[in-house]
C-alpha cells in the first residue's frame, strides 16, 4: 500500500503529505452548543432544540450507564434512527462517552425478514437491546418463530422508548424476546430532556418489575404533577400534567434563534416548572406512568408530530382551504392521523385525485409516516361561536365513537355534526367494500 502511494505523484497525494497528521481538539465552553435537533410542538413550526456540551454529555453517559446497567465490555444495541434524539443519546453520545461498543442499525425491523433484529442480536452478541414499541407491536404479529430461530442468550436487558408500551407488547418483549429472564425498562424522556428522565432501574431495585410501569425518576429529576389551576397534586393514585420542578444537566438550553419561544413553550403554562406536554399517573407507591400528550401532538410509530404541522402541509393544496388533523388509537402505530378536509366549491379534480395529491404533499413536506390513514372530505368543520375547531368532537368521530359526542351546544351550527357523520358513515361503508 505504502509503495503504491509513493509511486503516485498525483496532486492529492502531495496535498495529503503537506497536511498535519494531528488535528488539535478545539476547546469548548461547557455551555457551547453541541447540536441542534428539530422537533414538533403544538404549532406548525418545528422547534430547533439546542443541547450544550457538558450537561448533555454528562446526562447521556450517566443515564446510559445506570438505566441500562452498562458494564465494560458490553455490546450496546440501540436500534433507533441516528437522526432522532434516541440515536444521538444512545447510539452515539452516551455509549461512546462510556467507551462502549455501540451498534449502528441501518435497516427496518422487517427487512429482509422479521427476524432481522434477533439475527443482529445473535451475530453481534448484543447485551442490551433498546427499541420502540411500534416495532415490537409489528413484530409480534409475525409470531414467535422469527425470534426463537436466533440465539438471544447474550441479552441481559431490554429497553423501550418513544411512546407508551401496551401490555401485550410488553409481555411479548419480556417473555418471548427476553425469555422472561431479562429486565425490561420502559424509559420516558423527550428531545428536550436530553436523556432518560423516568425509568425503572432494575439493577438497583430488588428485582421488582411491574409491566409497563414502575417508572422512577432518574437522579436529580423531580417529577411533579400539577392540576389545571397550576396547583401541585400530592399523594398517590393521582393524575395530572407532568412537570419537572428543578433543572437537570441534560435539559435543552433554548430554541435556536428564538429564546422567547423556548420560555413560552416550556415555562409559561406552569410558572416555576418545566412542562413536558405529557400527562402522567402516580401510583400509591410513587411510580409514574405516562398517559399521553396533553397538547395537539401525536405519536405515530414513535414519531412525534404536531397535528398543526400535518394541517399546514394539507392546506398547501390549492383546492383545500381548511383541515383538522386528529390522532386516533392504532394497533401497530400506537396512534395514526385522521384528516378532516374541507374542499373549495367548484373543484375540477375528483376527490380521489385530491386525496392522492394530499398524500404526496405530506410525504414530501414531512415524511411518509405522517400521511393520514384516513382523509374524510367534509363541507365544513365544527366550530365554536368564537371560531375554534371543536377538536374533542372530531376526536370521538376519528376514534369511531359516533354515538356519544358530548356537549355540542356551544357549536355555532350544530347541524354541521350531522353533515360530518353522514360523510363519515358513507366513507366507512366504501372502505369496508374495498
Ligand atoms: C412520548 C423521544 C410514554 C412522550 C425520546 C414524550 C413516551 C414524547 C415514552 C417525546 C414512554 C417518549 N412512554 N410516552 N416511555 N417515551 N414518550 O421528543 O409523549 O421524539 O413527550 O423523544 O414521546 O418524543 P421525542
Amino acid at each position: 500500500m505504502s509503495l503504491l502511494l509513493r509511486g503516485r505523484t498525483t496532486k492529492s497525494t502531495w496535498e495529503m503529505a503537506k497536511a498535519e497528521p494531528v488535528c488539535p481538539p478545539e476547546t469548548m465552553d461547557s455551555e457551547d452548543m453541541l447540536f441542534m435537533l428539530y422537533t414538533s410542538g403544538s404549532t406548525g413550526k418545528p422547534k430547533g432544540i439546542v443541547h450544550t456540551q457538558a450537561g448533555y454529555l454528562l446526562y447521556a453517559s450517566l443515564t446510559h450507564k445506570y438505566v441500562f446497567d452498562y458494564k465494560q465490555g458490553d455490546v450496546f444495541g440501540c436500534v433507533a434512527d441516528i437522526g432522532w434524539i434516541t440515536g444521538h443519546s444512545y447510539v452515539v453520545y452516551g455509549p461512546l462517552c462510556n467507551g462502549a461498543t455501540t451498534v449502528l442499525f441501518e435497516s427496518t425491523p422487517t427487512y429482509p425478514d422479521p427476524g432481522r433484529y434477533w439475527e443482529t442480536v445473535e451475530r453481534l452478541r448484543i447485551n442490551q437491546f433498546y427499541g420502540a414499541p411500534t416495532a415490537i407491536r409489528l413484530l409480534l404479529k409475525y409470531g414467535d418463530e422469527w425470534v426463537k430461530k436466533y440465539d438471544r442468550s447474550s441479552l441481559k436487558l431490554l429497553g423501550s422508548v418513544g411512546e407508551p408500551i401496551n401490555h401485550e407488547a410488553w409481555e411479548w418483549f419480556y417473555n418471548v424476546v427476553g425469555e422472561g429472564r431479562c429486565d425490561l425498562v420502559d424509559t420516558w424522556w423527550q428531545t428536550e430532556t436530553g436523556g432518560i428522565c423516568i425509568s425503572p432501574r432494575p439493577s438497583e431495585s430488588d428485582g421488582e418489575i411491574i409491566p409497563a410501569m414502575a417508572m422512577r425518576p432518574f437522579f436529580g429529576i423531580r417529577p411533579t404533577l400539577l392540576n389545571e389551576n397550576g396547583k401541585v397534586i400530592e399523594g398517590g393514585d393521582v393524575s395530572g400534567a407532568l412537570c419537572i420542578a428543578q433543572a437537570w444537566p441534560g435539559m435543552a438550553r433554548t430554541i435556536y434563534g428564538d429564546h422567547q419561544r423556548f420560555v413560552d413553550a416550556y415555562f409559561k403554562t406552569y410558572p416555576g416548572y418545566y412542562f413536558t406536554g405529557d400527562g402522567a399517573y402516580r401510583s400509591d407507591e410513587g411510580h409514574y406512568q405516562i398517559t399521553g400528550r396533553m397538547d395537539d401532538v401525536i405519536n405515530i410509530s414513535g414519531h412525534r408530530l404536531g397535528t398543526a404541522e400535518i394541517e399546514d402541509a394539507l392546506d398547501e393544496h390549492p383546492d383545500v382551504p381548511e383541515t383538522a388533523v386528529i390522532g386516533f388509537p392504532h394497533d401497530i402505530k400506537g396512534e395514526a392521523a385522521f384528516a378532516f378536509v374541507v374542499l373549495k366549491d367548484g373543484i375540477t379534480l375528483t376527490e380521489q385525485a385530491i386525496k392522492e395529491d394530499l398524500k404526496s404533499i405530506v410525504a414530501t413536506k414531512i415524511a411518509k409516516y405522517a400521511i393520514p390513514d384516513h382523509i374524510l372530505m367534509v363541507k365544513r368543520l365544527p366550530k365554536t361561536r368564537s371560531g375554534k375547531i371543536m377538536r374533542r368532537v372530531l376526536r370521538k368521530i376519528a376514534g369511531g365513537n359516533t354515538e356519544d359526542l358530548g356537549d355540542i351546544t356551544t357549536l355555532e351550527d350544530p347541524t354541521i355534526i350531522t353533515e360530518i357523520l353522514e360523510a363519515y358513515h358513507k366513507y366507512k361503508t366504501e372502505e369496508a367494500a374495498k
Side-chain angles (χ1 to χ4, degrees), residues 39-47 192 261 264-266 269 275 277 293-298 304-312 391:
T39 193
S40 300
S42 48
T43 58
K45 200 170 148 217
K47 303 183 272 205
E192 295 86 340
R261 190 170 173 213
D264 292 348
Y266 302 105
T269 325
F275 177 40
R293 295 293 301 194
M294 299 182 76
D295 51 15
D296 289 320
V297 171
I298 53 176
R304 173 175 158 182
L305 289 155
T307 48
E309 225 173 307
I310 309 179
E311 288 165 6
D312 280 358
R391 288 180 177 270

Side-chain angles (χ1 to χ4, degrees), residues 17 21 60 77 93 135 181 191 239 296 304 333 363 379 432:
Y93 292 106
R181 57 169 188 85
T191 305
S239 297
D296 289 320
R304 173 175 158 182
K333 302 183 196 179
K379 292 201 189 84

Side-chain angles (χ1 to χ4, degrees), residues 347-364:
I347 50 163
T348 47
L349 293 170
T350 63
E351 284 196 3
Q352 196 49 41
I354 295 179
K355 272 189 194 176
E356 293 311 315
D357 284 353
L358 291 173
K359 288 181 188 169
S360 69
I361 294 176
V362 175
T364 341

Side-chain angles (χ1 to χ4, degrees), residues 318-350:
D319 289 329
V320 173
E322 198 175 27
T323 57
V325 172
I326 308 288
F328 70 97
H330 186 282
D331 270 1
I332 290 174
K333 302 183 196 179
E335 265 186 303
F338 193 121
F340 295 85
V341 171
V342 178
L343 294 182
K344 274 188 185 151
D345 286 339
I347 50 163
T348 47
L349 293 170
T350 63

Side-chain angles (χ1 to χ4, degrees), residues 39 84-86 130 160-165 186-192 198 215 276-278 290-293 297 299 302-304:
T39 193
W84 185 31
I85 188 68
T86 307
Y130 192 32
S160 165
V161 58
E163 43 175 328
I165 178 161
D186 176 12
T187 63
W188 174 88
W189 58 295
Q190 312 177 291
T191 305
E192 295 86 340
I198 309 185
M215 310 239 284
T276 64
D278 284 323
I290 309 301
T291 48
R293 295 293 301 194
V297 171
N299 197 322
H303 297 285
R304 173 175 158 182

Side-chain angles (χ1 to χ4, degrees), residues 36-359:
M36 170 174 60
L37 261 187
Y38 274 87
T39 193
S40 300
S42 48
T43 58
K45 200 170 148 217
K47 303 183 272 205
I49 298 294
V50 174
H51 281 293
T52 52
Q53 303 278 331
Y56 171 85
L57 287 175
L58 170 76
Y59 201 69
S61 59
L62 265 191
T63 47
H64 170 254
K65 182 166 156 55
Y66 288 100
V67 173
F68 301 108
D69 196 23
Y70 165 76
K71 296 277 185 333
Q72 213 179 348
D74 283 350
V75 177
F76 188 76
C78 168
V79 290
D81 191 305
I82 199 108
W84 185 31
I85 188 68
T86 307
H88 277 58
S89 299
Y90 300 110
V91 174
V92 184
Y93 292 106
L96 294 188
C97 270
N98 291 330
T101 300
T102 188
V103 174
L104 272 176
F105 182 82
E106 183 60 58
S107 183
T108 72
T110 51
Y111 182 83
D113 60 50
R116 183 64 190 261
Y117 277 168
W118 325 121
E119 180 273 326
T120 311
V121 166
E122 177 184 291
R123 183 165 35 88
L124 303 179
R125 304 294 299 157
I126 290 175
N127 300 115
Q128 290 93 355
F129 180 90
Y130 192 32
T134 187
I136 301 302
R137 285 193 296 267
L138 175 71
L139 293 177
L140 77 80
K141 300 234 181 285
Y142 288 94
D144 301 358
E145 288 318 303
W146 287 108
V147 185
K148 294 191 170 149
K149 214 171 135 183
Y150 299 100
D151 173 19
R152 286 154 289 117
S153 57
S154 59
L155 286 176
K156 296 194 283 190
L157 181 140
L158 306 169
S160 165
V161 58
E163 43 175 328
I165 178 161
N166 51 313
H167 276 267
E168 192 192 5
W170 198 100
E171 296 289 343
W172 189 79
F173 201 15
Y174 182 77
N175 289 316
V176 178
V177 176
E179 297 169 315
R181 57 169 188 85
C182 300
D183 289 321
L184 169 48
V185 293
D186 176 12
T187 63
W188 174 88
W189 58 295
Q190 312 177 291
T191 305
E192 295 86 340
T193 68
I196 296 163
C197 286
I198 309 185
S199 164
R201 287 197 305 281
S203 60
E204 295 161 42
S205 63
D206 48 13
E208 178 203 36
I209 289 198
I210 306 171
M213 180 83 182
M215 310 239 284
R216 310 201 280 145
F218 192 70
F219 313 144
I221 299 293
R222 280 182 49 207
T224 307
L225 300 181
L226 278 92
N227 68 16
E228 57 273 28
N229 305 320
K231 292 267 172 312
V232 173
I233 307 171
E234 308 281 0
D237 195 18
V238 287
S239 297
L242 177 63
C243 295
I244 302 180
Q246 161 186 297
W248 66 100
M251 76 189 297
R253 300 297 196 266
T254 191
I255 290 177
Y256 190 72
D258 197 348
H259 192 69
Q260 192 53 46
R261 190 170 173 213
F262 182 65
V263 174
D264 292 348
Y266 302 105
F267 302 96
K268 222 167 193 168
T269 325
Y270 300 104
Y273 296 88
Y274 165 80
F275 177 40
T276 64
D278 284 323
Y281 166 82
R282 184 174 53 224
S283 70
D284 283 328
E285 295 77 33
H287 292 143
Y288 286 85
Q289 186 173 32
I290 309 301
T291 48
R293 295 293 301 194
M294 299 182 76
D295 51 15
D296 289 320
V297 171
I298 53 176
N299 197 322
I300 304 179
S301 303
H303 297 285
R304 173 175 158 182
L305 289 155
T307 48
E309 225 173 307
I310 309 179
E311 288 165 6
D312 280 358
L314 296 172
D315 292 350
E316 287 203 356
H317 195 287
D319 289 329
V320 173
E322 198 175 27
T323 57
V325 172
I326 308 288
F328 70 97
H330 186 282
D331 270 1
I332 290 174
K333 302 183 196 179
E335 265 186 303
F338 193 121
F340 295 85
V341 171
V342 178
L343 294 182
K344 274 188 185 151
D345 286 339
I347 50 163
T348 47
L349 293 170
T350 63
E351 284 196 3
Q352 196 49 41
I354 295 179
K355 272 189 194 176
E356 293 311 315
D357 284 353
L358 291 173
K359 288 181 188 169

